[in-house]
Amino acid sequence: MASDRRQISITVSHRGITHPFSLLPDTTVAYLQARLEELTSVPSSNQKLLYKGKKSVSEDATILDAGLKDGTKVQLIGPTAEELGGLKAVESEHQRKERILRERAQRAPVKVRSTGRASPSSDSRYTFHRIEPLPHLPNPESARDLLTCLANDPAIRHVMGKHQFSVGVLTELAPHEQPHLLGLNVNAGQAIKLRLRTDRYDGFRTYKEVRRVLCHELTHNVWGDHDNNFKELNSTLNREVAEFERAQAAGTHHLTAPGFESPHSALEAEAQEYVLGGGAYTLGAPERRKKILEATMKRLRKEEEELEQRCGTTGQ
């Protein structure tokens, strides 16, 4: 019986600060959350506790029932009460801006003198209509910046305009909620969710990795299953993104592929564009170019297979 009353030592980390606890086994989860609220100002209702072996239980359950053991390291995620007040104010400001934009859209269009070349993606219908980071995760403003960069990426805007893609909401996936997923397209464009963050919430995944997932999820606006139709369009989108960036870098829209035969598939065309973007077409003999192209196709195929396995979108 004495051993059953032995205290359990755990540590809870929140935004770089570690809080040690020594608790009796029959301590309730509600008590632990109340203590955490006192220490961190994160309301119990907004607390997310992440740890190995976690079990889904009610607040009245004991910490043992919840899977907490001696030596467990817990990560606490959630906004403070002060931040929640600020988020409500930001949300009200966001609603005000949306109202103004709706009112402007209802007015007659005003003719203005163009000072640059028109983009094929300039049609406001073919865009991401809202950007929404997850406010309960760390650094939501950094997540918003990354989502905004993706939404305004010239190459992404180019393919969205060309293929007439429209997405209601561009948001993120929380790693702890769906750790196996990199992306998800809800109802063929109602929302696209992207995995932005690393597993430990200590940073963000690379921009090009996330953008490739975005191209994959945009393809689900047209095709639900990962069939040949999907693969062809997905490779086409990635090729067009690479083409657009190469043309921008060269200051030209001449997009032919010197040194290569005509591609036999969208994947081969995509691989050619990646090789061209790296300047590899200058490396001499056709046999060498062929090997580089085959290696690039193999890499792209492997990357796409991983994306398919970690994509939450199914046939729609």
Side-chain angles (χ1 to χ4, degrees):
M1 292 293 293
S3 62
D4 291 340
R5 302 291 296 173
R6 186 172 56 189
Q7 291 192 333
I8 295 174
S9 296
I10 65 172
T11 56
V12 181
S13 299
H14 178 251
R15 300 184 181 180
I17 300 176
T18 300
H19 304 280
F21 288 89
S22 292
L23 305 168
L24 292 173
D26 57 0
T27 301
T28 64
V29 174
Y31 173 82
L32 174 60
Q33 289 182 318
R35 290 286 292 117
L36 286 171
E37 183 171 354
E38 292 175 5
L39 293 168
T40 66
S41 299
V42 178
S44 298
S45 59
N46 293 99
Q47 293 177 12
K48 288 187 180 294
L49 302 178
L50 310 179
Y51 54 90
K52 188 175 181 180
K54 181 176 180 179
K55 299 177 183 178
S56 180
V57 294
S58 68
E59 294 181 352
D60 296 330
T62 68
I63 58 174
L64 275 183
D65 293 335
L68 287 167
K69 302 176 182 178
D70 192 54
T72 299
K73 295 181 179 179
V74 182
Q75 179 73 36
L76 168 62
I77 294 176
T80 65
E82 182 180 357
E83 290 169 342
L84 284 171
L87 285 170
K88 289 178 181 177
V90 170
E91 183 179 357
S92 298
E93 176 65 12
H94 178 67
Q95 291 172 344
R96 185 185 71 82
K97 289 180 179 178
E98 281 196 335
R99 175 180 56 78
I100 293 172
L101 290 173
R102 282 196 302 269
E103 291 173 354
R104 286 180 182 172
Q106 292 169 358
R107 297 173 189 164
V110 178
K111 292 183 179 180
V112 297
R113 181 173 62 88
S114 175
T115 57
R117 291 178 298 177
S119 166
S121 60
S122 60
D123 192 321
S124 60
R125 292 174 295 174
Y126 309 131
T127 186
F128 302 94
H129 296 281
R130 290 207 318 277
I131 303 292
E132 292 184 1
L134 297 179
H136 65 278
L137 298 184
N139 302 318
E141 287 307 312
S142 296
R144 178 181 293 279
D145 290 344
L146 179 51
L147 290 170
T148 301
C149 283
L150 289 164
N152 293 331
D153 187 302
I156 293 295
R157 291 175 62 87
H158 169 72
V159 297
M160 291 187 75
K162 182 174 181 179
H163 296 273
Q164 300 185 350
F165 289 150
S166 177
V167 176
V169 181
L170 182 63
T171 185
E172 58 175 318
L173 283 169
H176 69 279
E177 292 174 357
Q178 295 173 304
H180 60 293
L181 296 185
L182 292 177
L184 176 66
N185 184 319
V186 181
N187 294 333
Q190 178 180 335
I192 286 181
K193 303 181 179 183
L194 302 174
R195 170 78 171 272
L196 304 181
R197 303 168 186 270
T198 57
D199 291 341
R200 298 177 62 184
Y201 291 87
D202 54 358
F204 292 85
R205 301 175 63 239
T206 67
Y207 183 81
K208 286 197 173 182
E209 285 178 332
V210 179
R211 189 176 67 171
R212 188 167 179 85
V213 177
L214 176 56
C215 286
H216 180 103
E217 297 306 330
L218 282 172
T219 308
H220 281 302
N221 273 31
V222 180
W223 304 107
D225 293 322
H226 295 121
D227 56 14
N228 287 334
N229 291 321
F230 177 93
K231 295 177 192 295
E232 285 289 304
L233 178 56
N234 184 47
S235 288
T236 296
L237 295 186
N238 281 290
R239 172 178 56 80
E240 289 172 351
V241 165
E243 277 182 351
F244 184 89
E245 290 194 325
R246 182 168 67 87
Q248 273 201 328
T252 176
H253 290 285
H254 180 63
L255 301 176
T256 56
F260 289 108
E261 298 178 359
S262 297
H264 299 291
S265 68
L267 177 65
E268 185 173 348
E270 180 191 355
Q272 283 188 7
E273 194 53 46
Y274 276 100
V275 173
L276 282 168
Y281 66 90
T282 62
L283 294 177
E287 187 62 28
R288 181 176 177 81
R289 290 198 298 268
K290 182 179 179 182
K291 288 183 179 179
I292 294 172
L293 180 62
E294 289 174 350
T296 304
M297 289 179 65
K298 183 177 180 180
R299 174 179 62 81
L300 293 175
R301 193 177 289 114
K302 184 176 180 180
E303 288 177 359
E304 194 51 42
E305 286 173 358
E306 181 186 358
L307 285 182
E308 289 179 8
Q309 293 169 1
R310 302 188 68 180
C311 171
T313 311
T314 56
Q316 299 170 14

